[in-house]
Amino acid sequence: MANDDRTIIIRRRTPESAAMSANIKRAMAITAALNRLTFHDADAVRALFSDLIGKKVDDSFLLALLKMQWVTRLTRHAG
């Protein structure tokens, strides 16, 4: 990996790595919660996505949630 202006190396067992790990766990928990919602839960989707990105999304925001099981089924039947 090139060490250019966009690359930040975070060493293990540092406060920065602990913060990164906590942020990843938070994002994974929010993503799991998003995956449990349906199309009819638009307000909850917007609230969770706002938490994920750290700023409020517009009320017109829609997130298309496609479960991996459906993708697997579709790929099997497509070919």
Side-chain angles (χ1 to χ4, degrees), residues 23 26-27 30 34 45-57:
N23 216 14
R26 183 187 68 80
I30 292 171
L34 280 168
V45 168
R46 281 190 287 274
L48 282 170
F49 198 81
S50 294
D51 287 345
L52 182 64
I53 65 170
K55 63 180 180 179
K56 187 174 179 345
V57 295

Side-chain angles (χ1 to χ4, degrees), residues 25-42 44-45 48-49 63-70:
K25 288 177 184 176
R26 183 187 68 80
M28 289 173 59
I30 292 171
T31 303
L34 280 168
N35 285 334
R36 289 189 295 271
L37 297 176
T38 68
F39 179 77
H40 301 290
D41 300 319
V45 168
L48 282 170
F49 198 81
L63 180 64
L65 302 172
L66 182 61
K67 304 260 188 247
M68 188 52 89
Q69 61 191 1
W70 288 104

